[in-house]
Amino acid sequence: MDRVATGISGLDEMLNGGIPARRHVALYGGPGCGKTSFAFEFIYKGAKAGENGLYISLEETQEDIIENMKNTFPMFNDIQDLLKSKKMQILKPNKIDMEGIAETIEENITDRDVKRVIIDSGTMVKISFAKEIEYRQTLFEFFSLLRNMDCTSLTTLEAATSKKEEIVYEIEHFVMDGIINLYNLDRGDRRIRALEIFKMRGTDHSRDLVPFKVTPSGIKVYVGEKVF
Amino acid sequence: MDRVATGISGLDEMLNGGIPARRHVALYGGPGCGKTSFAFEFIYKGAKAGENGLYISLEETQEDIIENMKNTFPMFNDIQDLLKSKKMQILKPNKIDMEGIAETIEENITDRDVKRVIIDSGTMVKISFAKEIEYRQTLFEFFSLLRNMDCTSLTTLEAATSKKEEIVYEIEHFVMDGIINLYNLDRGDRRIRALEIFKMRGTDHSRDLVPFKVTPSGIKVYVGEKVF
Amino acid sequence: MDRVATGISGLDEMLNGGIPARRHVALYGGPGCGKTSFAFEFIYKGAKAGENGLYISLEETQEDIIENMKNTFPMFNDIQDLLKSKKMQILKPNKIDMEGIAETIEENITDRDVKRVIIDSGTMVKISFAKEIEYRQTLFEFFSLLRNMDCTSLTTLEAATSKKEEIVYEIEHFVMDGIINLYNLDRGDRRIRALEIFKMRGTDHSRDLVPFKVTPSGIKVYVGEKVF
Amino acid sequence: MDRVATGISGLDEMLNGGIPARRHVALYGGPGCGKTSFAFEFIYKGAKAGENGLYISLEETQEDIIENMKNTFPMFNDIQDLLKSKKMQILKPNKIDMEGIAETIEENITDRDVKRVIIDSGTMVKISFAKEIEYRQTLFEFFSLLRNMDCTSLTTLEAATSKKEEIVYEIEHFVMDGIINLYNLDRGDRRIRALEIFKMRGTDHSRDLVPFKVTPSGIKVYVGEKVF
Amino acid sequence: MDRVATGISGLDEMLNGGIPARRHVALYGGPGCGKTSFAFEFIYKGAKAGENGLYISLEETQEDIIENMKNTFPMFNDIQDLLKSKKMQILKPNKIDMEGIAETIEENITDRDVKRVIIDSGTMVKISFAKEIEYRQTLFEFFSLLRNMDCTSLTTLEAATSKKEEIVYEIEHFVMDGIINLYNLDRGDRRIRALEIFKMRGTDHSRDLVPFKVTPSGIKVYVGEKVF
Amino acid sequence: MDRVATGISGLDEMLNGGIPARRHVALYGGPGCGKTSFAFEFIYKGAKAGENGLYISLEETQEDIIENMKNTFPMFNDIQDLLKSKKMQILKPNKIDMEGIAETIEENITDRDVKRVIIDSGTMVKISFAKEIEYRQTLFEFFSLLRNMDCTSLTTLEAATSKKEEIVYEIEHFVMDGIINLYNLDRGDRRIRALEIFKMRGTDHSRDLVPFKVTPSGIKVYVGEKVF
């Protein structure tokens, strides 16, 4: 079975080697839980390992993401090179339009042999629809297109809460092949970040909740450490 | 009384032999709780025992389900044979249309002597309707048709929560003859899977919550073991 | 004061002899809590005691109910005789139509001297309306008609929860003369069934929560035993 | 200051003598908490003490209420006399129409010198409106009329919960001069009834939660006893 | 800095002297928590201290409020004199109309040199609107007018709950300069009243929750005493 | 990396030097938690340090804010000078109109070299829209404009609760680069104020919940002190 190693320290171990290839996974969490950092490192590590990446930003500009990520990961000192050589590309579409995004992904797969795709954030797509039924139909069509493409994707999704107990699963979660929950957990006087692999079709995986940190040299997932 | 043995280790014991024949049962649970694995093993074990099966997938492609299930159950080494001999068939309708699905089931009963049917997932049907009243009417008509057919079915239903205490019962649950709840329970630092038979018309059954695991050789329901 | 003995072991004791005659009582509970079994035994015991009964099923077919009840109560070995002699009758109207149901009840009272009526389930009536205001008006008219008939009725109502603490009382409860709550209580690793008489106009009654079981020879309500 | 003694054992003590005259008070509680019994005893004791009463029933028939109350209060052996002499009257309007109800009250005050009025239940008025804004306007107009009449009233209101902690105050509570909350409290294996005077304009009053029982000789409010 | 002493025992101490002049403050609480008593004493003590007051009642009649307050505060033996001399005036507008209320306030400021204004209750204004957006716009316009007038106001607002933990802040709270929360706290077998100054623009203030009582000689706020 | 020191005692330490330049941050909290004081001190300290500021008030008048702030911060004795020299300016637009606000900000950047902007409060913008979808679209357009301007902004947002556990994250939070949560925490008999940096793109930051006070000489954030 093909797997796509995320390159994120500890996460691949939890996934028994990586995300099953050609699967479409949600990164789900509230504000400030590190979704963009996860998504970026997935693309960055892929680019370094020879798998070209496409980061579709529906909210921040390319410049903001790059500046943000350089600050977040100062030890990723070849970001600019990878962007220049187009091993990694960040695009911000002019408008939020699922069909256009699907075309962009397909073109990038054909032209640049892109293997890894980020959509940040899927919530921007959701809130661009006035009627939920239209959103659902568009979403199904989008994933039907995506399932026929040779790429593995992460889509960030915004949760309305940072409490582990109150997460509500919605249509996006049923459609997607996997869900990685990121938490910014309330520990009274401070917050700690943690993650769990909640669903991953086609592979066994860890079911533990584990703490993680975003460090200058990349995300560290502390497999085997307890949060509570 | 006729019973349909699920073939799932431990579950038939909880059901006093199996699901009453010609009953229509819901497999209810949140993302990542193993609904597809349960549904597949029910069909697979039936096919092995001489009862032909039909798996109607409203979401994933046939290929994805097969690949997923081969990875999930590596010791089910005759999946391909059973598919080839049509003892087991996975269909993905072009559109979600209850009348068409009922016809498909009926044809398969007539043509292939299908005894076991999976609808995965019933939630896809639900969300394809813009108005709830139309959904209800269609649902009633669908089950009226199904009740006249000589088959036993499992329909997967997506729960919006993984908390045992917060399950809300909806129209599907009142219509169906049985409900098996699958849980992906939050145990602080990890998740464990458990199930209970919540409702089963026409038979006495266990009322315990029991843990289960999806193992390479099939699902194991640990009857008699405690979750809490 | 006239009372209608339910014939259910323990319940009549809690009711100081039975349900006040010509009152209309709700059997309220979530899926799998035994509503149909209660309703059926009420009719069955009445028929045996010389009070003819009518079971109006708005969901399951006559055949399914009979098969289900024969399995549930194997020691009720004269079900078929009582049906044949029309001491007990199960009807499934072609459509859900309150006026038609009221007429059916009236005819059965006139023609067969029916004294006990079941409507299973009242929730099917509720969900057949698209607008709540229309449902309410129809419900009021229906109970106005029923109050003038010489019969005692039980109407099953579906609760959306199986938690005793979260029951919400709605329009049906205000209209009805009595409410018997049935619970399928979560006890961590298992479920136990319990009931309480929550409201009963015109008679004093027990206010205890008591466990019950559905046994082959009928429902046993364990008056005096504790649930917690 | 004029006060209207309710005649209910213990309650007048909590009210420092009774309800301030010409005030309009809500009896608020869920199903089965004794609202009708309270309302009836208020009218009955008034009639015995020379204050004529009018009981407007918007739901049950006169016959049902009388039968119910004779069963509930077997020691009130002059109910029939008081009804005959028109010291006490129970009316069921043909339709729920606030203006008509106000006229009825006014006529009864003029013709029969009625001093005490029951409206059972105000919730029936509420649910007869399809739009909340129309209900509110009608309610305000109704209470404007009532405030100019020389009578004291109790209006029963249906609560959707029997939990003391979850009561939600709505428009009716703001409009009314007083609120007496009746509870059917969940004590695990049984229910006990309790009341509190939650609001009473124009008089100081007890703020305690006290248990009560409906006994054959009238309601007993156990002032000074603890519920918890 | 100008301050308006409320004259309520203990409250001015909590406010470091009183409400900042020309500020508009909400008295927020559920039914029966003493809002009208607070509002009335504010006006009454102002009138005694030479600051004329206007009490705009949107619900009870002038007569009811006066009778109620004479009963509540029997030791305020000059209420009638203050009303006669127009140092204090209670008005009930014929209709609830923000523009008309603003004009009334302005006229009273011009004609009678009114310094203190009560609007009882603001919730009556809110519920007189069918659409929330219209209410908001009217509210903003109303407070724009009020901010240009030389008066200090208290507006009573009805809370839907009497639980301290469940208060939800709405549009009125954001607009207003201060919020004093009044509670009728559930202490199991009884209720106790307490208050806190939750917000007060332009002055430091106590942040404690303190008990209070409505006594015949006025409200007593027990600064320094604990509620829990 | 450019940072904008807030000048608020303790906060810059938590931010590792200040807010990343040209980022747009939310100050989120319920009524009475000090949002306006934070926003004002950010502008004031900027003006003193040579960075011109613009305070756009959508609710209170300039005069009210200035009077309020002089009372809140009596030791900020040069407020008037900074206003006169236009190092600091408070504007109240005639109407709430995002396009107009964006133009105002741009003009002030061009004309007065404004570096710091306050929008108080963003909730006023939100509630000025009748349809949420229109609000969202306007909000996205507004932040697209803002991202191209050379300024750093704080936008106050009103939370509906003062409970740390119940905060719900909405569209504004996903769009903004940072969120500072301000709390007015319920400690039973009193309230204490606390803050946390919940999200800040482009910089590491403290994740602690720390108490703060608004003192005459400015806000003090007590880094290292515990709230619980």
Side-chain angles (χ1 to χ4, degrees):
Chain A
M1 182 199 174
D2 268 14
R3 286 179 189 269
V4 175
T6 64
I8 293 168
S9 163
L11 184 60
D12 290 321
E13 183 184 330
M14 292 175 73
L15 285 163
N16 290 337
I19 296 169
R22 287 170 304 280
R23 292 291 184 172
H24 304 286
V25 173
L27 272 178
Y28 187 59
C33 71
K35 293 185 297 293
T36 294
S37 302
F38 258 89
F40 184 83
E41 185 166 346
F42 174 70
I43 288 290
Y44 172 81
K45 289 287 173 67
K48 302 250 316 176
E51 296 203 330
N52 291 342
L54 172 65
Y55 191 116
I56 297 174
S57 170
L58 300 176
E59 192 186 346
E60 288 192 278
T61 61
Q62 295 101 309
E63 292 74 27
D64 277 352
I65 291 173
I66 294 166
E67 193 196 342
N68 187 350
M69 289 299 113
K70 285 183 178 169
N71 287 325
T72 302
F73 298 122
M75 296 177 67
F76 291 2
N77 51 21
D78 49 358
I79 291 175
Q80 213 57 48
D81 298 343
L82 294 169
L83 290 167
K84 244 183 226 159
S85 62
K86 300 223 170 171
K87 290 188 173 162
M88 192 163 85
Q89 200 171 5
I90 301 176
L91 292 181
K92 182 156 195 275
N94 289 325
K95 55 173 190 156
I96 295 178
D97 153 30
M98 293 302 269
E99 213 179 318
I101 293 172
E103 275 173 35
T104 300
I105 295 171
E106 191 136 43
E107 284 166 21
N108 273 271
I109 292 171
T110 311
D111 297 356
R112 293 203 297 120
D113 192 29
V114 153
K115 291 287 187 206
R116 302 185 182 203
V117 173
I118 300 294
I119 299 170
D120 180 17
S121 73
T123 303
M124 291 296 128
V125 178
K126 184 171 196 168
I127 63 188
S128 72
F129 283 85
K131 294 190 181 167
E132 208 185 337
I133 183 75
E134 287 170 18
Y135 165 60
R136 286 182 205 155
Q137 287 166 349
T138 307
L139 192 79
F140 285 121
E141 286 163 28
F142 178 73
F143 276 98
S144 299
L145 293 174
L146 214 58
R147 280 182 205 286
N148 293 320
M149 299 184 196
D150 183 18
C151 68
T152 305
S153 77
L154 292 184
T155 297
T156 63
L157 288 172
E158 301 282 349
T161 178
S162 53
K163 288 174 72 179
K164 184 158 164 273
E165 299 77 21
E166 288 194 352
I167 279 188
V168 168
Y169 295 94
E170 290 176 280
I171 176 70
E172 300 82 2
H173 298 96
F174 304 143
V175 174
M176 304 200 80
D177 295 312
I179 304 171
I180 299 174
N181 286 329
L182 304 186
Y183 300 106
N184 197 7
L185 295 170
D186 186 352
R187 282 282 158 279
D189 278 311
R190 74 210 159 85
R191 302 255 175 198
I192 63 167
R193 283 157 155 184
L195 68 80
E196 64 177 340
I197 300 165
F198 191 70
K199 168 182 173 178
M200 194 63 65
R201 287 179 181 149
T203 181
D204 198 16
H205 57 83
S206 161
R207 303 195 157 268
D208 293 346
L209 177 75
V210 293
F212 72 88
K213 281 196 180 144
V214 179
T215 80
S217 60
I219 292 163
K220 308 289 182 216
V221 181
Y222 299 101
V223 182
E225 288 192 18
K226 297 257 180 231
V227 171
F228 292 90
Chain B
M1 183 197 173
D2 269 14
R3 285 179 190 270
V4 175
T6 64
I8 293 168
S9 163
L11 184 60
D12 290 320
E13 183 185 331
M14 292 176 74
L15 286 163
N16 290 337
I19 296 169
R22 288 170 304 279
R23 293 290 184 173
H24 304 286
V25 173
L27 274 178
Y28 187 59
C33 71
K35 294 184 298 293
T36 293
S37 302
F38 258 89
F40 184 83
E41 184 167 346
F42 174 70
I43 288 290
Y44 172 81
K45 290 286 173 69
K48 302 250 317 175
E51 297 203 330
N52 291 341
L54 172 65
Y55 191 117
I56 297 174
S57 169
L58 301 176
E59 191 185 347
E60 288 191 279
T61 62
Q62 294 101 312
E63 293 72 28
D64 277 352
I65 290 172
I66 294 166
E67 191 195 344
N68 186 350
M69 288 299 113
K70 285 183 179 170
N71 287 325
T72 302
F73 298 123
M75 295 177 68
F76 291 2
N77 51 21
D78 48 359
I79 291 176
Q80 213 57 48
D81 299 341
L82 295 169
L83 291 167
K84 244 183 228 159
S85 61
K86 301 224 169 170
K87 290 188 173 160
M88 192 163 86
Q89 201 170 6
I90 301 176
L91 293 181
K92 183 157 195 274
N94 289 326
K95 57 174 189 155
I96 295 178
D97 152 30
M98 293 302 269
E99 214 179 317
I101 293 173
E103 275 174 35
T104 300
I105 296 172
E106 191 137 43
E107 285 167 20
N108 274 271
I109 292 173
T110 310
D111 297 355
R112 292 203 298 119
D113 191 29
V114 154
K115 291 288 187 205
R116 302 185 181 202
V117 173
I118 300 295
I119 299 170
D120 180 18
S121 72
T123 304
M124 290 297 129
V125 178
K126 184 171 197 170
I127 63 188
S128 71
F129 283 84
K131 293 192 182 167
E132 207 185 337
I133 183 76
E134 287 171 17
Y135 166 59
R136 286 182 205 155
Q137 287 165 349
T138 307
L139 191 79
F140 285 121
E141 286 163 27
F142 178 74
F143 275 98
S144 299
L145 293 174
L146 215 57
R147 280 183 206 287
N148 293 320
M149 299 184 196
D150 182 18
C151 69
T152 304
S153 77
L154 292 185
T155 298
T156 63
L157 288 173
E158 301 283 348
T161 179
S162 53
K163 288 174 72 178
K164 183 157 165 274
E165 298 77 20
E166 288 194 354
I167 278 188
V168 167
Y169 295 94
E170 291 175 281
I171 175 70
E172 299 82 2
H173 298 95
F174 304 143
V175 174
M176 304 201 79
D177 295 312
I179 304 171
I180 299 173
N181 286 330
L182 305 186
Y183 300 105
N184 197 7
L185 294 170
D186 186 351
R187 283 281 160 279
D189 278 311
R190 72 208 160 89
R191 303 253 175 200
I192 62 167
R193 283 157 156 183
L195 67 79
E196 64 177 340
I197 300 165
F198 191 70
K199 168 182 172 178
M200 194 63 65
R201 287 179 182 150
T203 181
D204 198 17
H205 56 83
S206 161
R207 304 194 157 267
D208 293 346
L209 177 75
V210 292
F212 72 87
K213 280 197 180 144
V214 180
T215 79
S217 59
I219 291 163
K220 308 289 181 215
V221 181
Y222 299 100
V223 183
E225 288 192 19
K226 298 258 181 231
V227 172
F228 291 90
Chain C
M1 183 198 172
D2 269 14
R3 286 178 189 269
V4 176
T6 64
I8 293 168
S9 163
L11 184 60
D12 290 320
E13 182 184 333
M14 292 175 74
L15 285 163
N16 290 337
I19 296 169
R22 287 170 304 281
R23 292 290 185 174
H24 305 286
V25 173
L27 273 178
Y28 187 59
C33 70
K35 294 184 297 293
T36 293
S37 302
F38 257 89
F40 184 84
E41 185 167 346
F42 174 70
I43 288 289
Y44 172 81
K45 290 287 173 67
K48 303 252 312 178
E51 298 203 328
N52 291 342
L54 172 65
Y55 191 117
I56 297 174
S57 170
L58 300 176
E59 192 185 346
E60 287 190 280
T61 62
Q62 294 101 311
E63 293 73 27
D64 277 352
I65 290 173
I66 293 166
E67 192 196 344
N68 186 350
M69 288 299 114
K70 284 183 179 169
N71 287 325
T72 302
F73 298 123
M75 294 178 67
F76 291 1
N77 51 21
D78 48 0
I79 291 175
Q80 212 57 47
D81 299 340
L82 295 169
L83 290 167
K84 246 183 224 157
S85 62
K86 299 221 168 172
K87 291 188 173 159
M88 192 163 86
Q89 203 171 4
I90 300 176
L91 293 181
K92 183 156 195 275
N94 289 326
K95 56 174 189 154
I96 295 178
D97 151 31
M98 293 303 268
E99 214 179 315
I101 293 172
E103 275 173 35
T104 301
I105 295 172
E106 191 137 42
E107 284 167 20
N108 274 272
I109 292 172
T110 309
D111 298 355
R112 291 203 298 119
D113 192 30
V114 154
K115 292 287 187 206
R116 301 184 182 204
V117 174
I118 300 294
I119 300 170
D120 180 18
S121 74
T123 304
M124 290 296 130
V125 178
K126 184 170 196 170
I127 63 188
S128 71
F129 284 85
K131 293 190 183 170
E132 208 186 336
I133 182 74
E134 287 171 17
Y135 166 59
R136 286 182 205 156
Q137 287 166 350
T138 307
L139 191 78
F140 285 120
E141 286 164 26
F142 178 74
F143 276 97
S144 300
L145 293 173
L146 215 58
R147 279 183 206 288
N148 293 321
M149 299 184 196
D150 183 18
C151 69
T152 305
S153 77
L154 292 185
T155 299
T156 63
L157 288 173
E158 302 282 348
T161 179
S162 53
K163 289 174 71 179
K164 184 158 164 272
E165 299 76 21
E166 286 194 354
I167 278 189
V168 168
Y169 295 94
E170 290 175 281
I171 176 69
E172 300 82 3
H173 298 96
F174 304 143
V175 174
M176 304 201 79
D177 295 312
I179 304 171
I180 299 173
N181 286 330
L182 305 185
Y183 300 106
N184 197 7
L185 293 170
D186 186 352
R187 283 282 160 279
D189 277 312
R190 73 208 159 90
R191 302 256 174 198
I192 63 167
R193 283 158 156 183
L195 68 79
E196 65 177 340
I197 300 165
F198 192 69
K199 168 182 172 178
M200 194 62 66
R201 286 180 182 149
T203 181
D204 199 16
H205 56 82
S206 160
R207 304 196 157 267
D208 292 347
L209 177 76
V210 293
F212 72 88
K213 280 196 180 144
V214 180
T215 79
S217 60
I219 291 162
K220 309 288 180 215
V221 181
Y222 299 100
V223 182
E225 289 193 17
K226 298 258 180 231
V227 171
F228 292 91
Chain D
M1 183 198 172
D2 269 14
R3 285 178 189 270
V4 175
T6 64
I8 293 167
S9 164
L11 184 59
D12 291 321
E13 182 184 332
M14 292 176 74
L15 286 163
N16 290 337
I19 296 169
R22 285 170 305 280
R23 292 291 184 173
H24 304 287
V25 173
L27 274 177
Y28 187 59
C33 71
K35 293 184 298 294
T36 293
S37 303
F38 258 89
F40 184 82
E41 185 167 346
F42 175 70
I43 288 289
Y44 171 82
K45 289 286 172 69
K48 303 249 318 174
E51 297 203 329
N52 290 342
L54 172 65
Y55 191 116
I56 297 174
S57 170
L58 300 176
E59 191 185 347
E60 288 191 279
T61 62
Q62 294 102 309
E63 293 72 28
D64 277 353
I65 290 173
I66 293 166
E67 192 195 343
N68 186 349
M69 288 299 115
K70 284 183 180 170
N71 287 326
T72 302
F73 298 123
M75 295 177 67
F76 290 3
N77 51 21
D78 48 359
I79 291 176
Q80 213 56 48
D81 298 342
L82 295 169
L83 290 167
K84 246 183 223 157
S85 61
K86 299 222 170 172
K87 290 189 172 159
M88 193 163 85
Q89 203 171 4
I90 301 176
L91 293 181
K92 182 156 195 277
N94 290 325
K95 57 173 188 155
I96 295 177
D97 152 30
M98 293 301 268
E99 214 179 315
I101 292 172
E103 275 173 35
T104 301
I105 296 172
E106 191 137 42
E107 285 168 20
N108 273 272
I109 291 172
T110 310
D111 297 355
R112 292 203 298 120
D113 192 30
V114 154
K115 292 288 186 205
R116 301 183 182 205
V117 173
I118 300 295
I119 299 169
D120 180 18
S121 73
T123 304
M124 290 297 129
V125 178
K126 184 171 196 170
I127 64 188
S128 71
F129 283 85
K131 293 190 182 169
E132 208 186 336
I133 182 75
E134 287 171 18
Y135 165 60
R136 286 183 205 156
Q137 286 165 351
T138 306
L139 191 80
F140 285 122
E141 285 164 27
F142 178 73
F143 275 98
S144 299
L145 292 172
L146 215 58
R147 280 182 205 288
N148 292 321
M149 299 183 196
D150 183 17
C151 69
T152 305
S153 77
L154 292 185
T155 298
T156 64
L157 289 173
E158 301 282 350
T161 179
S162 54
K163 289 173 72 179
K164 184 158 165 273
E165 298 77 21
E166 287 193 353
I167 279 187
V168 167
Y169 295 94
E170 290 175 281
I171 175 70
E172 300 82 2
H173 298 96
F174 304 143
V175 174
M176 303 201 80
D177 295 312
I179 305 170
I180 299 174
N181 286 329
L182 304 186
Y183 301 105
N184 197 8
L185 294 170
D186 186 352
R187 283 283 160 277
D189 279 312
R190 73 209 160 89
R191 302 256 175 198
I192 62 167
R193 284 157 156 184
L195 69 79
E196 66 176 340
I197 301 165
F198 191 69
K199 168 182 172 179
M200 194 62 65
R201 286 179 182 151
T203 181
D204 198 16
H205 56 83
S206 161
R207 303 194 158 270
D208 293 347
L209 178 75
V210 294
F212 72 88
K213 280 196 179 145
V214 180
T215 79
S217 60
I219 291 163
K220 309 289 180 215
V221 181
Y222 299 100
V223 182
E225 289 192 17
K226 298 258 180 231
V227 172
F228 292 90
Chain E
M1 183 197 172
D2 270 13
R3 284 178 190 271
V4 176
T6 65
I8 293 167
S9 164
L11 184 59
D12 290 320
E13 183 184 330
M14 292 175 75
L15 285 162
N16 290 338
I19 296 168
R22 286 170 305 280
R23 291 292 184 172
H24 304 286
V25 173
L27 274 177
Y28 186 60
C33 71
K35 294 185 298 293
T36 294
S37 303
F38 258 89
F40 184 83
E41 185 167 345
F42 174 70
I43 288 289
Y44 172 81
K45 289 286 173 68
K48 302 245 324 171
E51 296 203 330
N52 291 340
L54 172 65
Y55 190 116
I56 297 174
S57 170
L58 300 176
E59 191 185 347
E60 287 191 279
T61 63
Q62 295 101 310
E63 292 72 29
D64 277 353
I65 291 173
I66 294 166
E67 192 196 343
N68 186 350
M69 288 299 114
K70 284 183 179 169
N71 287 325
T72 302
F73 298 122
M75 294 178 69
F76 291 2
N77 51 22
D78 48 358
I79 291 176
Q80 213 56 49
D81 299 341
L82 295 169
L83 290 166
K84 245 183 224 159
S85 62
K86 300 223 170 169
K87 290 187 173 160
M88 194 163 85
Q89 203 171 3
I90 301 176
L91 293 180
K92 181 156 196 276
N94 290 325
K95 57 173 190 158
I96 295 177
D97 152 30
M98 293 302 268
E99 213 180 317
I101 293 172
E103 275 174 34
T104 301
I105 295 172
E106 191 137 42
E107 285 167 21
N108 273 272
I109 292 171
T110 310
D111 298 355
R112 292 202 299 120
D113 193 29
V114 154
K115 292 287 187 207
R116 301 182 182 205
V117 173
I118 300 295
I119 298 170
D120 181 18
S121 73
T123 304
M124 290 297 129
V125 178
K126 184 171 196 169
I127 63 188
S128 70
F129 283 85
K131 293 190 182 168
E132 208 186 335
I133 182 75
E134 287 171 17
Y135 165 60
R136 286 182 204 156
Q137 286 165 351
T138 307
L139 191 80
F140 285 121
E141 286 163 27
F142 178 74
F143 275 98
S144 299
L145 292 173
L146 214 59
R147 280 182 206 289
N148 292 321
M149 299 183 196
D150 183 17
C151 70
T152 305
S153 77
L154 292 184
T155 298
T156 64
L157 288 173
E158 302 282 348
T161 179
S162 54
K163 289 174 71 180
K164 183 159 165 272
E165 298 77 21
E166 287 193 354
I167 279 188
V168 167
Y169 295 94
E170 290 175 281
I171 176 70
E172 301 82 3
H173 298 96
F174 304 144
V175 174
M176 304 201 79
D177 296 311
I179 304 171
I180 299 174
N181 286 330
L182 304 186
Y183 301 106
N184 198 8
L185 294 170
D186 186 352
R187 282 282 160 278
D189 278 311
R190 73 209 158 90
R191 301 255 175 200
I192 62 167
R193 283 157 156 184
L195 68 79
E196 66 176 339
I197 301 165
F198 192 70
K199 168 182 172 178
M200 194 63 65
R201 287 180 182 150
T203 181
D204 198 17
H205 56 83
S206 160
R207 303 195 157 268
D208 293 347
L209 177 76
V210 293
F212 73 88
K213 281 197 179 143
V214 180
T215 80
S217 60
I219 291 162
K220 309 290 179 214
V221 181
Y222 299 101
V223 183
E225 289 192 17
K226 298 257 181 231
V227 171
F228 292 91
Chain F
M1 183 197 172
D2 268 14
R3 285 179 189 269
V4 175
T6 65
I8 293 168
S9 164
L11 184 60
D12 290 321
E13 183 184 331
M14 292 176 73
L15 285 162
N16 290 338
I19 296 168
R22 286 170 304 282
R23 291 292 184 172
H24 304 287
V25 173
L27 273 178
Y28 187 59
C33 71
K35 294 184 298 294
T36 294
S37 302
F38 258 88
F40 184 83
E41 185 167 345
F42 174 71
I43 288 289
Y44 171 82
K45 290 287 173 67
K48 303 246 323 172
E51 297 203 330
N52 292 341
L54 173 65
Y55 191 116
I56 296 174
S57 170
L58 300 176
E59 191 185 347
E60 287 191 279
T61 61
Q62 295 100 311
E63 293 73 28
D64 278 353
I65 291 172
I66 294 167
E67 193 196 343
N68 187 350
M69 288 299 114
K70 284 182 179 170
N71 287 325
T72 302
F73 298 123
M75 295 177 68
F76 291 2
N77 51 21
D78 49 358
I79 291 176
Q80 213 57 47
D81 298 341
L82 295 169
L83 290 166
K84 245 183 224 159
S85 62
K86 301 223 169 170
K87 290 187 172 160
M88 193 163 86
Q89 202 171 3
I90 300 176
L91 292 181
K92 182 157 195 276
N94 290 324
K95 56 173 190 158
I96 295 177
D97 152 31
M98 293 302 269
E99 214 180 317
I101 292 172
E103 276 174 34
T104 300
I105 295 172
E106 190 137 43
E107 284 167 21
N108 273 272
I109 292 172
T110 310
D111 298 355
R112 292 203 297 120
D113 192 29
V114 153
K115 291 287 187 207
R116 300 183 182 203
V117 173
I118 299 294
I119 299 171
D120 180 19
S121 72
T123 304
M124 291 297 129
V125 178
K126 184 171 196 170
I127 63 188
S128 71
F129 283 85
K131 293 190 182 169
E132 208 185 336
I133 183 74
E134 287 171 17
Y135 166 59
R136 285 182 206 155
Q137 287 166 349
T138 307
L139 191 80
F140 285 121
E141 286 164 26
F142 178 74
F143 275 98
S144 299
L145 293 173
L146 215 58
R147 280 183 206 286
N148 292 321
M149 299 184 197
D150 182 18
C151 69
T152 305
S153 76
L154 292 185
T155 297
T156 64
L157 288 173
E158 301 282 349
T161 179
S162 54
K163 289 174 71 180
K164 185 158 164 273
E165 299 77 21
E166 288 193 354
I167 279 188
V168 168
Y169 295 94
E170 290 175 281
I171 176 69
E172 300 82 2
H173 299 95
F174 304 143
V175 174
M176 304 200 79
D177 295 311
I179 304 172
I180 299 174
N181 286 329
L182 304 186
Y183 300 105
N184 198 7
L185 293 171
D186 186 353
R187 283 283 160 276
D189 278 311
R190 74 209 159 87
R191 302 255 175 199
I192 63 168
R193 283 157 156 183
L195 68 78
E196 65 177 340
I197 301 165
F198 191 70
K199 168 183 173 178
M200 194 63 65
R201 287 178 182 150
T203 181
D204 198 16
H205 57 83
S206 161
R207 303 195 158 268
D208 294 346
L209 177 75
V210 293
F212 72 87
K213 280 197 179 143
V214 179
T215 80
S217 60
I219 291 162
K220 309 289 181 216
V221 180
Y222 298 100
V223 182
E225 289 194 16
K226 296 257 180 232
V227 172
F228 293 90

